Amino acid sequence: MKILITGASGFIGSFIVEEALRRGFETWAAVRKSSSREWLQDERIHFIELNLSSKEQLVEQLRGKDFDYVVHAAGVTKCLNKQDFHRINTEGTKNLVDALLEVEMPLKRLVYLSSLSIFGAIKEQQPYKEIKETDTPQPNTEYGKSKLAAEQYLNSVSSRVPYIILRPTGVYGPREKDYFIMAKSIKQHSDFAVGFKRQDITFVYVKDVVQAVFLALEKSENGRKYFLSDGQVYQSATFSNLIHEELGRPWWIRITAPVWVLRIVTFFGEYIGRMTGKVTALNNDKYNILRQRNWRCDIQPAIDELGYHPTYNLEQGVKETIQWYKDNGWL
């Protein structure tokens, strides 16, 4: 069986590549010329350069390849310009799907990695309730909007493309760089939280996302959409407390600031990013993500239909992640 993985050089994509190899797939990693191949060192990997910004080039690049499966994990979570979210996440997905259709790729399944963020700040009246597939998406970030638009395009071609959509909540694990910033800050003796209203947070370890990807390749009916978390709900301080524990409990100062302070910080972060041309983690999208209070989601359909059973809770996942950061010289 031949599998194509887009975003293969990224955090989640590189783990998907490793699992595909472990399962004996003929594994093709889609990369750009500028992509790092640091996590793609296995000599069994086949590389293919794909230009997701051009359907015409994709047609030429994909013609005659005859993949059985495609996992579309390519995308961006932060950008300097909001138009880039839609150019990469939405148009890139549309171009890939259109090219697959034009070359008449004999696909058994396409798995698209979307996000819980497409639902935005819904069900925030306490007590918080789980976001369900039947709820109406109300994305409050450009990232979420771009992912929703990609999903909607897949819906429009559902009669011609056998696809499944996965919507993970916050994904963490080895190689991840955004949550790493928190770990680095705690090691340097500070922790920063936002808002005084209760915040229910959910997480999913990267290896459990990978588990769901391969279950989705094998099971379920076309067009289904599944939330992914570890099945638990945490409070806003839980993640940083676990990191603090794994780092040996260094002395620290924990600051909880009002939401309006975050608004000021991200405003200037966005401005500085535009001035320097460097993407910053503190931007307008991040403001909406951090102020969101309810990240509960219903994973029961994934359990019932895919046979998905998360193997990592947050304590186990943080322990393994922090150890990886230490072993690889990140911390």
Side-chain angles (χ1 to χ4, degrees), residues 15 34 44 100 103 114 148 157 209 238 260 262 286 308 327:
F15 277 96
S34 59
R44 294 171 293 172
L100 290 170
V103 301
S114 185
L148 177 59
V157 295
V209 175
T238 308
W260 63 264
L262 176 66
K286 194 68 170 181
Y308 169 69
D327 292 344

Side-chain angles (χ1 to χ4, degrees), residues 11-31:
F11 162 49
I12 299 175
S14 61
F15 277 96
I16 297 172
V17 169
E18 289 177 0
E19 182 63 13
L21 291 170
R22 191 187 72 79
R23 291 172 178 246
F25 284 88
E26 182 181 316
T27 304
W28 289 71
V31 295

Side-chain angles (χ1 to χ4, degrees), residues 294-328:
N294 180 28
W295 290 94
R296 290 173 173 259
C297 59
D298 178 18
I299 68 169
Q300 197 60 46
I303 293 170
D304 293 341
E305 298 175 26
L306 294 182
Y308 169 69
H309 293 287
T311 56
Y312 284 82
N313 62 27
L314 193 60
E315 183 176 359
Q316 295 166 305
V318 168
K319 186 178 188 68
E320 192 167 293
T321 300
I322 297 301
Q323 189 60 52
W324 185 92
Y325 288 150
K326 291 176 179 178
D327 292 344
N328 287 269

Side-chain angles (χ1 to χ4, degrees), residues 26 30 57 112 141 189-190 209 218 238 241 266 291 305 321:
E26 182 181 316
Q57 285 191 37
Y112 176 59
T141 63
H189 311 296
S190 65
V209 175
E218 302 165 0
T238 308
N241 284 342
T266 54
R291 72 169 182 161
E305 298 175 26
T321 300

Side-chain angles (χ1 to χ4, degrees), residues 134-201:
T134 53
D135 290 322
T136 301
Q138 300 174 31
N140 57 352
T141 63
E142 293 302 325
Y143 170 71
K145 292 173 184 176
S146 69
K147 285 291 193 178
L148 177 59
E151 283 197 18
Q152 290 169 335
Y153 186 73
L154 280 168
N155 293 341
S156 73
V157 295
S158 60
S159 62
R160 296 187 289 160
V161 178
Y163 73 91
I164 298 293
I165 292 173
L166 300 178
R167 296 164 168 169
T169 183
V171 185
Y172 71 103
R175 307 173 192 166
E176 201 281 329
K177 296 180 179 178
D178 287 344
Y179 288 118
F180 165 69
I181 294 173
M182 181 187 297
K184 185 178 179 181
S185 176
I186 292 170
K187 185 179 180 181
Q188 295 171 346
H189 311 296
S190 65
D191 182 42
F192 183 77
V194 176
F196 299 101
K197 185 179 177 181
R198 171 177 166 169
Q199 186 179 42
D200 284 1
I201 306 179

